[in-house]
């Protein structure tokens, strides 16, 4: 016999793909297969990882903007045009701006480079009247510029504490303040010391963390006991700014007459290497600046010879010559430091270690 099964108007299941109907009659069974297509696009959702990312200003996000287009039952909808656009932040997109969904309902760009503003930046993905927002939290980029806010070009009595605390501001290449930047404040030799808080010890160098406004400040700068120009440097991430001050009424620095070790003392940086500084001073022990004296190091005794770093020039801003000595073999040495063509600086300085 011939049976007719009328499925007109009968709803299919909600899952796209093959669906079957089994018919049994007069001891016979037949299976009818129907392929259900996805319904119309009903929702646009971000792909995993594409929303809620965090990156620095000007950087590319880790997961490129992408969405999945589904119907009312959650089935992926293929071959749908998705239009991506930067909605805020001024960044740029790679690929698109229109991308068609694949068999999994996914449309994804090649990348998203964030703009220079911190805060929330957004890319939108639109399908007709449907849309999804892909937001990223943007933090400041690396420190690029350090500027003096307060405390520069002061003057005071030698050994006194200056009236205005040195303060700097750190910004990235877009001008955003770099919160959390680590700033090192350090005085030159003979230029006094710094306090991080009012009750902290006066020392140098000190480390300060920049606040939300990108500013880092110390509690105070106490000048050295010698008259003349003094300097404090603030450095962060390879950039630096220098404060100058004039100390009056203190000890007058005479001509260079002696060499001393820089504190802290010399350290071994390898099995056959040493590093440290030699300080240029006057007869009263004051650090002498403004004099670029060349100093040579020679081996007086020891198991080997100097193979590198045997000469250094005094930094005229700090009065210190920094040596990085390399020896042919490790062991105990006696090193002698002598100024070049400066007979007034005597005697030579010996170092054993």
């Amino acid at each position: 016999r011939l049976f007719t099964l009328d499925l007109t108007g009968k709803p299919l299941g909600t899952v796209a793909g093959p669906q079957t109907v089994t018919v049994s009659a007069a001891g016979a069974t037949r299976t009818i297969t129907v392929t259900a297509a996805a319904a119309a696009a009903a929702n646009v959702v971000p792909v995993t990882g594409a929303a809620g990312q965090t990156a620095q200003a000007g950087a590319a996000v880790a997961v490129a903007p992408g969405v999945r287009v589904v119907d009312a039952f959650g089935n992926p909808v293929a071959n749908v045009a998705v239009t991506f656009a930067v909605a805020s932040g001024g960044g740029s997109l790679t690929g698109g701006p229109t991308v068609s969904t694949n068999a999994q309902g996914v449309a994804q760009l090649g990348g998203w480079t964030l703009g220079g503003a911190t805060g929330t930046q957004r890319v939108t993905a639109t399908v007709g009247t449907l849309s999804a927002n892909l937001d990223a939290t943007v933090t400041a980029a690396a420190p690029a510029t350090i500027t003096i806010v307060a405390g520069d070009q002061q003057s005071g009595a030698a050994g006194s504490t200056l009236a205005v605390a040195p303060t700097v501001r750190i910004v990235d290449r877009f001008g955003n303040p770099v919160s959390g930047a680590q700033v090192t404040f350090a005085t030159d030799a003979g230029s006094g010391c710094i306090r991080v808080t009012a009750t902290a010890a006066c020392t140098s160098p000190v480390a300060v963390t920049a606040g939300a406004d990108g500013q880092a400040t110390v509690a105070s700068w106490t000048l050295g006991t010698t008259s003349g120009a003094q300097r404090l440097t603030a450095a962060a991430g390879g950039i630096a700014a220098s404060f100058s001050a004039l100390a009056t009424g203190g000890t007058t620095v005479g001509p260079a007459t002696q060499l001393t070790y820089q504190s802290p003392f010399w350290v071994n940086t390898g099995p056959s290497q040493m590093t440290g500084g030699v300080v240029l001073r006057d007869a009263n022990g004051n650090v002498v600046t403004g004099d670029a004296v060349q100093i040579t190091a020679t081996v007086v005794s020891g198991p080997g010879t100097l193979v590198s770093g045997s000469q250094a020039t005094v930094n005229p801003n700090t009065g210190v010559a920094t040596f990085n000595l390399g020896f042919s073999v490790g062991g105990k040495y006696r090193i002698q430091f002598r100024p070049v063509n400066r007979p007034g600086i005597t005697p030579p300085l010996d170092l054993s270690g």
Side-chain angles (χ1 to χ4, degrees), residues 14-298:
T14 58
V15 179
Q19 299 185 18
T20 60
V21 176
T22 301
V23 180
S24 299
T29 300
R30 295 288 184 271
T31 299
I32 301 171
T33 300
V34 178
T35 300
N43 199 9
V44 181
V45 294
V47 298
T48 301
Q53 301 184 76
T54 298
Q56 290 185 351
V61 295
V63 179
V67 293
R68 189 168 182 260
V69 181
V70 297
D71 64 13
F73 307 106
N75 298 303
V77 183
N79 300 315
V80 173
V82 180
T83 300
F84 294 88
V86 175
S88 65
S92 61
L93 303 176
T94 302
T98 300
V99 180
S100 294
T101 56
N102 59 20
Q104 289 74 45
V106 173
Q108 193 159 21
L109 293 175
W112 176 17
T113 299
L114 299 168
T118 56
T120 300
Q121 297 189 26
R122 172 174 292 176
V123 166
T124 57
T126 305
V127 177
T129 59
L130 306 172
S131 66
N133 294 328
L134 306 174
D135 290 348
T137 299
V138 185
T139 59
T145 304
I146 181 170
T147 56
I148 293 175
V149 176
D152 191 23
Q153 296 183 341
Q154 299 185 77
S155 62
S160 69
T161 298
L162 294 171
V164 181
T167 303
V168 293
R169 185 170 186 260
I170 315 295
V171 298
D172 65 13
R173 60 192 176 100
F174 303 104
N176 300 308
V178 183
S179 175
Q182 296 299 302
V183 184
T184 299
F185 289 83
T187 54
D188 287 354
S191 293
C193 55
I194 318 149
R195 284 186 170 87
V196 177
T197 65
T199 58
C202 197
T203 186
S204 176
V206 298
V208 178
T209 301
D213 57 0
Q215 292 192 15
T217 186
V218 294
S220 62
W221 176 14
T222 298
L223 295 172
T225 57
T226 59
S227 299
Q230 300 192 20
R231 189 173 73 156
L232 165 67
T233 300
I239 54 177
S242 293
F243 298 81
S244 63
L246 180 64
T248 59
T251 304
T252 301
V253 178
T257 62
Q258 60 178 319
L259 302 175
T260 64
Y261 302 126
Q262 183 186 28
S263 180
F265 295 119
W266 284 60
V267 295
N268 294 322
T269 55
S272 58
Q273 292 178 308
M274 291 182 67
T275 186
V278 172
V279 185
L280 191 64
R281 298 184 184 274
D282 68 8
N284 296 315
N286 300 306
V287 176
V288 177
T289 58
D291 194 350
V293 178
Q294 188 177 38
I295 300 173
T296 61
T298 56

